[in-house]
Amino acid sequence: MSKVIGTAVNRKDGYAKVTGTATYSAEHDVPGLVHGVVVTSTISKGRIKAIDTREAEKAPGVTAVFTHKNAPKVFKPSNNFMTSKIYEARLPLSDDQIHYAGQIIGLVVADTFERARHAAHLVKVEYDAQKPTIEAKNAVFKEAPPQMGEEFKFVKGDVAAGMAGAATKMEATYTTSTELHAPMEPHAIIAHWQGTDALTVYEPSQFVALSQRTYAELFGLPSEKVRIIIPYLGGAFGSKAFPWPHGILAAAAARQIKRPLKVVLSRRQVTANAGHRSETEQTVRLAAAADGMLSAIAHEVKSSTSPVEVFTEPCTSVTPAMYTAPNLLLNQELAVMNIGTPTFMRAPGEAPGMWALESAMDELAWALKLDPIELRLKNEAKEHQRKGLPFSAKHFADCLKVGAERFGWKDRPQPRSLTRDGKLIGWGMAAATFPGFRGKTSAKVRLLPDGSVHVLTSGNDMGTGSYTVVAITAAETLGVPVEKVRVEMGDSQLPDGGLAGGSQMTASLVPTVMKACQDILKTANCTTGTEACAALQKSGRAAIEASASSAPGDETKKWAFQSWGAHFCEVSVDEAIGRLRVTRWVSVMDVGRIINTKAAASQVRGGVIMGIGQALMEECHFDPNTGYPVVYDLATYHFPAHADTPRIDVAFVGEPDLNFNPAGVRGVGEIGITGVSAAIANAVYHATGKRLRSLPLTPDKLIA
Ligand code: MOS
C-alpha cells in the first residue's frame, strides 16, 4: 500500500541549507537591531565585591550596561516540564553570587557587535573568591533526588545474595568525561518587543510552544503575546530545549532599552554557560551461573550538577530495560560542583549508561567463555523491570542476528590474534536501546485547488529531517507527490507541534498529520487527495482545511515502548603510538516503522559518529584552580572528522509498533549513539587484550 513511507526521500530543507538561504536565529533581519555581549565571571565561587561599569558606559556606541545592580525585571517561571522550563533555576543577574566560572554577570549593549565586545572588556569586577569544588575527587556525593517524577533508587530481590552463590561474577568501574553538545550553530537570540507587552523571539528551541509559554511567564504576559520564530536550528542535541540565562537576560534587556537586541554567545561562553554532559563514574556488578544466566545486576552511578540547577545524568535508566535478573540494584549519587549547569545531551543517561553496562556484559562474556551475543540473548528482558510491563514489538534478537551476519561475526578469532599492516585488529559488539517516547501534538493541513498541500505545525526540525517526515506523511495519506507538500514549522503561531527531543518528534507528529489528512479526505468524501482536489476545483472553494491533535493514551499502561539495536565494529590499534582507529561498522536497529529510509539511516550514522567521538576523543576539562573550561571551542574540543569515520552500514529490522501509535513509528534520533563506545572498547580488548574502562580512549591509555 505504502508508496512514499519507507522510501528514501531527499530533505525538503536540503536546498535551502546548502545554498545558505535557510535563516538561523541570529541571521534574521530586524531593523534597528542593537547588539549585546555578555560579561562573564572569571572566578568560579564567591561574590562580586564591586563592579565598575563607568568606562564601559562611556565607550563608543554603548547604549546600556546591565549588572546585578540594575538587572532588568523578570518573573520567576513555574519551571516544570509541563508549563514552562528554564535551564537554570537561578535567574540571570539575580544577585552578586558566583557559582561557576563563565557565569553571566553582565550585559553590554552597543550599536555594533564589535563595540559591545570591546566595552564588555572594560567592565571592571572585584571578587571575594572562595575555594571552588571543580574536581569530582573533592566533591561530596549524596543520593540523587527524584528526576521527572522518578526515584533513581530501585531494588528488586537481594543483589548480595544473588552475587554470593554465583559461578562467575565481575565488578568494574567505568568513567566518562564531560562532553559538549558542540552544535554547529552557537546559542543566540534576537529579542524584539512590540511595545512592552508583545515579544517576538528568534532563538533556537527544541520546543517552540514551551518556549512561548516560558517567555510569557518570565514577563507576566499571556502566551499569545509571545511569538517564537525558529524555522531552522543548526543542531541542538538537547542543549536548546529551554531558554538559558543569556536568552532570558537578552529578552529582559530588550524590553527595557526598547530596541530589538541580538546576543550571540561565543564558543567559549557556550561551553561555560549553555550546558554539557556531566562526567560519570559507574560501578557495575554482574553475577551469572555457568550457563550465563544472570543472577544479579548492580549499577551505581556518580555524576555532578551545578549549584544553580539539579540535573542527574540518568545512567541507570537503561539497565532494567536491557537484561533480566532476579536481583537488581540501581542507584545514583549526585555532587554539586562549581561548573556550569549540565543538561540533557543526546541519549541522556542511555549513552553513558550503555557504555558501562555493555562493557561489563563483554567482560562477563569473556569470563564465562561465552559469545557476547549469546550472553545477551539469554538475558534479554521480556518486560521492563521498573515499569512491570511487557515490551511492545521487541526485535532485539533480530538486531543481533542480522548484525552478526552482515559483519561476519561468527569467524571471530581469539583476542590479540588478528593483525593487519603491523597493527592489531579487534572486533567488538554492543547492544543499543532507547525508550519510545511520544507527546501530544497538533497540526493543520490545507489542500489547495492546484493540488498542493500545506502542513502547519510549531513542532520543529533541529536538523533531524522533520520537515521531510511531515511531508512524506501528508503525501502518503493524501496520495499526492511529496513535492506538492509544503511544510511550515517552528513558529509558535502554528498549532503546538510538541518537543523535538527524546527522539519523539516523528512518533508524536506523524499520527497527527495522518489524522488531519484523513479528515480532509472525509470532508471531501474522497479516497485520495487528487479526487478531493478535483472536487475542490468544482466547488470553487479556496481550500479544504483540517486541524488534528494526537496524544499518547492508555497504551502506556499496557506496554513498555522501547527501541533496540546492535552495533558491530572493527578497530585497528597501533600500540607503538597508541593510535586507535575505527575501521568498520555495522548497526542494526529495531525502531518500528521507518518513514524516510535515507534520513533514518543518516540519523543512526550521526549517532554512531557522535559515539565514536565519545569513545575516542571527546572530553572537556576544567582548570582545577579557576574552574574555567580549558577545552572550549571547536579547535580544542575534538570530535570525529570524516577521516575518523568508517563507512557505517545501517540496517533496520522489526515491524511497525502499532501498539505505540497508528503509524507504528518509534523515532530514531538517539538510539544510534547508545552502545557505540562500549562496542569500541570491547573491540580494543579483542585487539589488544587490554580492558579500558575510562573514556575517551586516548593514545596515553592505549600505550600504558
Ligand atoms: Mo534530546 S537530549 O532529548 O534533545
Side-chain angles (χ1 to χ4, degrees):
M1 269 298 279
S2 192
K3 293 188 193 76
V4 199
I5 287 183
T7 64
V9 179
N10 288 337
R11 274 173 182 272
K12 287 294 249 186
D13 49 330
Y15 187 85
K17 283 184 171 169
V18 298
T19 54
T21 54
T23 307
Y24 293 86
S25 287
E27 299 174 331
H28 287 271
D29 195 10
V30 179
L33 194 75
V34 290
H35 299 261
V37 167
V38 296
V39 182
T40 59
S41 168
T42 54
I43 67 159
S44 48
K45 188 179 181 185
R47 60 175 282 274
I48 298 166
K49 198 160 75 181
I51 188 159
D52 182 352
T53 59
R54 283 171 298 181
E55 209 184 321
E57 279 159 19
K58 277 185 279 178
V62 171
T63 49
V65 179
F66 295 96
T67 70
H68 68 281
K69 290 180 166 172
N70 64 339
K73 173 85 185 148
V74 285
F75 297 101
K76 225 175 173 47
S78 50
N79 201 22
N80 61 55
F81 289 91
M82 309 310 289
T83 53
S84 71
K85 179 80 189 130
I86 56 177
Y87 269 113
E88 276 186 16
R90 178 186 182 272
L91 290 168
L93 309 187
S94 50
D95 53 36
D96 61 0
Q97 298 297 304
I98 303 296
H99 303 281
Y100 56 88
Q103 178 186 316
I104 294 170
I105 57 169
L107 177 74
V108 175
V109 180
D111 55 349
T112 70
F113 169 72
E114 289 76 13
R115 285 170 147 185
R117 190 175 54 178
H118 170 68
H121 288 295
L122 301 176
V123 175
K124 291 192 188 70
V125 191
E126 272 181 71
Y127 300 98
D128 274 334
Q130 291 169 16
K131 194 175 157 44
T133 306
I134 306 299
E135 293 169 287
K137 66 175 195 233
N138 303 322
V140 180
F141 286 88
K142 292 184 188 154
E143 181 134 340
Q147 189 152 289
M148 301 180 90
E150 196 165 83
E151 297 269 346
F152 282 103
K153 188 151 190 167
F154 180 74
V155 181
K156 178 174 98 168
D158 179 348
V159 161
M163 299 286 297
T168 303
K169 43 195 140 173
M170 63 77 60
E171 170 173 350
T173 297
Y174 306 88
T175 64
T176 64
S177 293
T178 302
E179 292 165 60
L180 305 180
H181 303 79
M184 293 260 285
E185 177 201 30
H187 288 68
I189 181 170
I190 296 173
H192 184 195
W193 286 87
Q194 293 80 46
T196 51
D197 68 348
L199 170 65
T200 304
V201 173
Y202 306 88
E203 181 186 36
S205 166
Q206 296 172 237
F207 197 164
V208 171
L210 191 73
S211 179
Q212 179 190 35
R213 294 197 290 274
T214 304
Y215 277 107
E217 280 193 18
L218 283 161
F219 296 104
L221 298 171
S223 281
E224 59 275 15
K225 289 286 187 185
V226 175
R227 183 173 178 195
I228 310 290
I229 301 177
I230 165 64
Y232 298 103
L233 276 88
F237 312 113
S239 73
K240 293 170 178 168
F242 320 109
W244 286 102
H246 69 274
I248 299 167
L249 179 56
R255 170 142 121 167
Q256 189 150 328
I257 62 174
K258 300 185 168 60
R259 292 285 292 275
L261 174 63
K262 168 151 83 174
V263 172
V264 180
L265 295 188
S266 68
R267 282 282 161 194
R268 210 181 262 255
Q269 290 166 348
V270 169
T271 304
N273 59 44
H276 59 266
R277 194 201 305 270
S278 157
E279 60 184 335
T280 70
E281 183 187 291
Q282 307 179 55
T283 300
V284 179
R285 287 177 285 152
L286 299 175
D291 66 354
M293 295 305 290
L294 288 168
S295 57
I297 304 172
H299 190 179
E300 290 159 292
V301 181
K302 289 176 175 174
S303 68
S304 67
T305 191
S306 78
V308 289
E309 183 61 272
V310 179
F311 181 80
T312 303
E313 179 75 23
C315 299
T316 52
S317 64
V318 288
T319 320
M322 278 310 304
Y323 304 114
T324 296
N327 306 293
L328 176 62
L329 166 72
L330 310 172
N331 201 18
Q332 296 212 200
E333 291 185 333
L334 186 66
V336 175
M337 304 214 292
N338 294 105
I339 53 178
T341 297
T343 191
F344 304 95
M345 178 169 153
R346 200 175 198 172
E350 293 87 2
M354 287 294 271
W355 149 248
L357 185 61
E358 290 298 286
S359 290
M361 286 294 278
D362 199 68
E363 296 203 42
L364 184 69
W366 286 111
L368 284 161
K369 297 190 172 64
L370 206 62
D371 186 276
I373 297 174
E374 203 185 325
L375 180 64
R376 284 166 174 81
L377 282 173
K378 275 185 181 225
N379 292 289
E380 69 158 314
K382 301 290 183 224
E383 64 160 42
H384 193 292
Q385 292 161 93
R386 279 195 88 129
K387 296 179 179 162
L389 295 171
F391 291 112
S392 170
K394 177 174 183 179
H395 300 275
F396 176 51
D398 288 342
C399 297
L400 294 165
K401 190 168 150 275
V402 173
E405 276 165 16
R406 287 174 94 103
F407 186 85
W409 182 261
K410 73 170 167 29
D411 302 320
R412 186 170 77 147
Q414 280 308 295
R416 227 185 147 82
S417 63
L418 278 176
T419 59
R420 193 164 65 222
D421 303 332
K423 294 171 194 98
L424 292 165
I425 302 297
W427 295 355
M429 61 79 54
T433 194
F434 193 82
F437 292 123
R438 181 186 174 202
K440 178 174 191 274
T441 61
S442 305
K444 187 185 276 184
V445 178
R446 210 178 269 151
L447 177 73
L448 300 171
D450 68 354
S452 64
V453 177
H454 289 180
V455 187
L456 308 161
T457 177
S458 79
N460 59 352
D461 187 331
M462 55 173 167
T464 47
S466 301
Y467 277 111
T468 320
V469 157
V470 167
I472 289 171
T473 304
E476 175 87 24
T477 318
L478 290 169
V480 301
V482 81
E483 296 75 29
K484 292 292 255 181
V485 184
R486 197 180 92 196
V487 184
E488 276 181 52
M489 303 183 88
D491 185 332
S492 62
Q493 289 192 336
L494 306 175
D496 178 358
L499 164 70
S503 303
Q504 67 182 279
M505 185 53 91
T506 300
S508 305
L509 213 43
V510 166
T512 299
V513 173
M514 270 185 174
K515 204 165 149 190
C517 293
Q518 285 158 355
D519 286 351
I520 284 184
L521 295 178
K522 247 182 260 165
T523 306
N525 199 19
C526 299
T527 55
T528 73
T530 322
E531 284 170 33
C533 182
L536 182 59
Q537 283 167 355
K538 236 191 230 164
S539 76
R541 282 168 61 193
I544 307 176
E545 200 172 88
S547 293
S549 294
S550 76
D554 279 349
E555 71 278 3
T556 57
K557 294 180 191 136
K558 284 183 243 159
W559 303 98
F561 301 104
Q562 189 94 12
S563 287
W564 308 94
H567 298 295
F568 291 81
C569 71
E570 181 188 270
V571 301
S572 82
V573 179
D574 185 338
E575 280 193 316
I577 59 168
R579 176 190 279 176
L580 164 61
R581 313 221 64 165
V582 180
T583 52
R584 199 149 70 83
W585 201 278
V586 173
S587 296
V588 181
M589 296 287 154
D590 160 27
V591 293
R593 191 181 198 185
I594 303 296
I595 303 293
N596 185 355
T597 53
K598 187 174 182 179
S602 289
Q603 279 289 78
V604 174
R605 288 191 185 102
V608 170
I609 293 167
M610 215 162 173
I612 291 173
Q614 181 184 53
L616 266 61
M617 56 194 85
E618 292 188 39
E619 54 182 329
C620 177
H621 292 286
F622 300 87
D623 185 309
N625 297 310
T626 66
Y628 220 80
V630 294
V631 169
Y632 49 76
D633 60 19
L634 299 187
T636 52
Y637 187 73
H638 296 171
F639 50 76
H642 282 93
D644 301 304
T645 308
R647 198 183 109 75
I648 297 166
D649 176 32
V650 177
F652 295 101
V653 297
E655 62 188 331
D657 189 347
L658 295 168
N659 294 317
F660 188 37
N661 59 55
V665 295
R666 281 200 302 249
V668 70
E670 286 160 281
I671 189 169
I673 190 176
T674 69
V676 169
S677 49
I680 292 171
N682 297 343
V684 168
Y685 176 80
H686 182 238
T688 64
K690 276 185 222 160
R691 178 61 62 178
L692 299 182
R693 301 189 182 94
S694 174
L695 292 180
L697 310 178
T698 42
D700 52 314
K701 295 169 190 167
L702 287 149
I703 289 173

